[in-house]
Amino acid sequence: MSFLDQIEPLKQAALADLRAAADLAALEQAKGNWMGTHGQVTALMKQLGALPKAEKPAAGKAINAAKAELDAALADRRSALELQAARPEAPTDFTSPGRRRFVGKLHPLTQVTEDIIRSFRKIGFVVADGPEVEDDYHCFDALNTPADHPARDTQDTFYVTAGQGTVSAGDTGSPAPGPAGQTPSLLLRTHTSSVQIRVMEKQPPPVRIIVPGRVYRRDNADATHNPTFQQIEGLYVDRGVTVGDLKGTVEFVFKEVLGGDVKIRFRPHYFSYTEPSYEIDFASALTRKMGKDWLEIAGCGMVHPQVFENVGYDPEVWTGWAFGFGIERIAMIRYGINDIRLFYENDVRFLRQF
Ligand code: DAH
């Protein structure tokens, strides 16, 4: 068969093959078979050189035209197949509901704190506030804590200044000099009990406050300790206040926050600012889930007469109780969290679960 006669059938076969390619891989395969190094069209083009000189121009023109047609067919098929590959497998359902964007939420500690506050508000408590950078008078002395108490040690407390120089105002409130008139040491408050003193110094009884806030201790972080954590302090001062009021109040709030099956028990303990003092244990389905009958959750007691003296309340007239508990502890029990550090890592995979 002459060179020219071979072109048309070869082209037709190649076109049919390219157009029949079902996907991009098959198209590449077909392209190789016809137009690749060892392809049949390529092979025919190679024969061009061997033709007699007179036949070359016409033959060259014809084979080039065929090649151009094949290139165009290849490009057409490729774009059709690419479009097909990009199309979604399932048709879009325009009636399905939209995807909701995650907009963030309150930190679990904030949620628990707000629940506790809401509960205390129902029974007439108001929220009070005080400085986190505190002086040692309000954190310890006024709370009847002796100078040699271990909590006051630099091993346990972050001191900012060591009882010398002047104290600048700013957000530290106004640290009052200690009773002896010395310049106070400044520290990061180790508990919210200091706010009891600040509130009683400012207002006459009766007092009914809760104090949520951050506290600091020189603890190494582990599953149950963190150098900063949150507490809620409570203080109730009036005439004729009893431990019965204390127990009833604590029971009411814990039932609201941790479930109606909560049981409360008081165990004798020691705090320098209360007498008598107790630790509060509670029991519920949640503690049983943790394998415990009772779980210690707070400290409390009847305000020590010396504390009333320190703020100028007459202990013969006024009685009161106070308590303090850690918010992380409550949140950990409530949500079944086993490591306090999770609250402070700010990992959204953790936070978005609450
Ligand atoms: N301040 C104590 C603590 O940090 C908790 C506490 C105990 C607070 C007894 C009180 C109280 O008000 O009366 O461990």
Side-chain angles (χ1 to χ4, degrees), residues 22-196:
D23 55 31
L24 287 164
L27 185 66
E28 285 311 307
Q29 179 77 42
K31 179 191 166 194
N33 289 345
W34 297 101
M35 288 125 89
T37 321
H38 303 291
Q40 298 186 54
V41 176
T42 314
L44 188 63
M45 288 177 92
K46 281 181 188 156
Q47 293 173 26
L48 198 60
L51 290 181
K53 204 169 173 197
E55 288 176 21
K56 271 189 191 167
K61 202 171 160 194
I63 188 81
N64 280 337
K67 176 72 174 22
E69 210 176 316
L70 289 173
D71 283 341
L74 175 68
D76 274 359
R77 188 65 191 148
R78 181 177 286 134
S79 61
L81 289 173
E82 279 172 354
L83 197 68
Q84 187 179 307
R87 223 177 275 144
E89 275 168 28
T92 304
D93 177 2
F94 292 101
T95 65
S96 68
R99 250 174 255 143
R100 216 172 268 262
R101 200 178 268 258
F102 180 67
V103 289
K105 25 165 101 170
L106 294 176
H107 192 283
L109 291 178
T110 307
Q111 293 187 36
V112 171
T113 306
E114 289 192 349
D115 286 350
I116 295 169
I117 291 173
R118 198 173 302 122
S119 181
F120 273 108
R121 282 222 172 103
K122 288 184 189 168
I123 48 175
F125 282 75
V126 296
V127 172
D129 197 9
E132 289 178 23
V133 179
E134 186 53 279
D135 55 58
D136 57 357
Y137 176 73
H138 288 88
C139 199
F140 297 124
D141 298 289
L143 287 162
N144 202 30
T145 308
D148 59 356
H149 194 281
R152 305 183 69 150
D153 199 281
T154 51
Q155 302 279 324
D156 295 317
T157 299
F158 290 109
Y159 284 89
V160 179
T161 64
Q164 53 195 304
T166 47
V167 168
S168 63
D171 66 352
T172 64
S174 49
Q182 324 106 330
T183 313
S185 297
L186 281 187
L187 48 82
L188 300 184
R189 68 180 178 196
T190 57
H191 54 183
T192 42
S193 305
S194 52
V195 185
Q196 290 185 30

Side-chain angles (χ1 to χ4, degrees), residues 224-239:
T224 53
H225 296 85
N226 201 55
T228 176
F229 60 101
Q230 323 269 328
Q231 287 188 329
I232 288 200
E233 190 81 13
L235 174 68
Y236 177 37
V237 182
D238 208 332
R239 291 183 165 88

